[in-house]
Amino acid sequence: MDWTPIELKQHQRHRSHLSERKPKAAKGWLPTMIFGAVGTVSVGVGIMEMGAGQLTELQCRRPVSQSVTPSISCTRTITTGLTREAPIEITPITRAEIQQVGRKFRNAYRVVLITGNGSIPLTEDFKSDEREKEQHITQINRFIRIANTTPSKGSSPLDFEIVEDDRAQSNLFGLMFITMGSLWILMGWVVQFSVHRKFTISRRSAVKDGY
């Protein structure tokens, strides 16, 4: 195809104009990648948090016995969203105490079971609900005090159970992280779409103007 000098000049100006605009379109991928990376990390943290919630069960039993020193057997079981720990036998329990750890803005607490061989925490994590922990300590110590008395003839076995379930709280925090991560990813695609749309409009305008 033969080009006239005027047509050749217009064609060269058009190619030059488009080549200058291509890098601008490519820049739209940078915020998409940044937002996508932040969003992916946030979603991953949310999934891990939802799987970290624990259901802790402490079950104690004193069978019928006429011995001077009654036998109390307790087991602790921890279940998470992913695993279930094998029950741990805890004996003999002498009392329960509250363990406190200081944080920057608040204190956190957990129940600790005192045995003849040392202390065993009821839960792995510390929580901010001190009142709930104090109630559990009162219940455990009351059971130990009653169970350590010599049972009378014809008495029934004593059973005791405490459940601490923080899965709802972990699921809430996990859902918050997943929601924020999804919004970050969506924001990245919105930015990419806006840049691409602006570039397309500018390109069509340039073609229409004869560049």
Side-chain angles (χ1 to χ4, degrees):
M1 180 178 181
D2 296 332
W3 297 86
T4 65
I6 296 177
E7 292 175 340
L8 180 60
K9 186 176 182 179
Q10 290 180 344
H11 180 69
Q12 290 175 346
R13 290 176 62 187
H14 174 65
R15 289 173 59 90
S16 176
H17 181 74
L18 293 180
S19 62
E20 291 176 357
R21 288 181 174 269
K22 286 181 179 179
K24 295 182 180 181
K27 291 180 181 179
W29 286 104
L30 182 59
T32 302
M33 293 170 60
I34 295 175
F35 291 150
V38 174
T40 301
V41 171
S42 181
V43 170
V45 171
I47 294 174
M48 292 177 61
E49 180 66 23
M50 293 183 71
Q54 294 184 346
L55 172 67
T56 303
E57 300 173 272
L58 177 67
Q59 297 176 331
C60 297
R61 180 178 179 84
R62 186 200 68 180
V64 177
S65 174
Q66 297 299 319
S67 63
V68 177
T69 305
S71 174
I72 304 174
S73 60
C74 297
T75 56
R76 185 199 68 179
T77 306
I78 297 178
T79 305
T80 67
L82 303 176
T83 61
R84 178 180 175 86
E85 179 188 273
I88 297 177
E89 186 173 353
I90 305 174
T91 185
I93 297 178
T94 59
R95 68 184 186 278
E97 296 180 352
I98 190 169
Q99 185 178 12
Q100 176 180 333
V101 61
R103 295 185 178 180
K104 188 174 182 180
F105 299 106
R106 63 178 182 178
N107 294 322
Y109 312 88
R110 70 179 179 183
V111 175
V112 176
L113 307 174
I114 308 301
T115 71
N117 299 320
S119 60
I120 300 176
L122 178 61
T123 58
E124 296 179 356
D125 298 330
F126 291 84
K127 299 299 178 182
S128 59
D129 193 347
E130 182 182 10
R131 180 175 298 181
E132 180 189 44
K133 307 305 180 186
E134 290 178 344
Q135 291 175 350
H136 288 171
I137 288 174
T138 301
Q139 293 170 0
I140 294 172
N141 288 333
R142 182 187 297 119
F143 171 78
I144 294 173
R145 185 173 62 254
I146 296 174
N148 281 333
T149 60
T150 303
S152 59
K153 186 176 180 180
S155 61
S156 302
L158 290 179
D159 295 300
F160 175 76
E161 181 179 19
I162 275 185
V163 177
E164 287 198 14
D165 191 354
D166 64 356
R167 292 176 298 179
Q169 183 179 3
S170 296
N171 290 340
L172 177 61
F173 281 112
L175 186 60
M176 290 173 58
F177 276 104
I178 292 175
T179 301
M180 289 189 296
S182 301
L183 290 176
W184 276 102
I185 295 174
L186 178 62
M187 190 182 302
W189 283 107
V190 169
V191 171
Q192 170 61 23
F193 174 77
S194 300
V195 172
H196 179 73
R197 185 171 181 272
K198 183 178 180 181
F199 172 75
T200 302
I201 294 175
S202 299
R203 186 173 183 179
R204 290 176 180 174
S205 177
V207 173
K208 183 177 181 180
D209 292 340
Y211 288 99

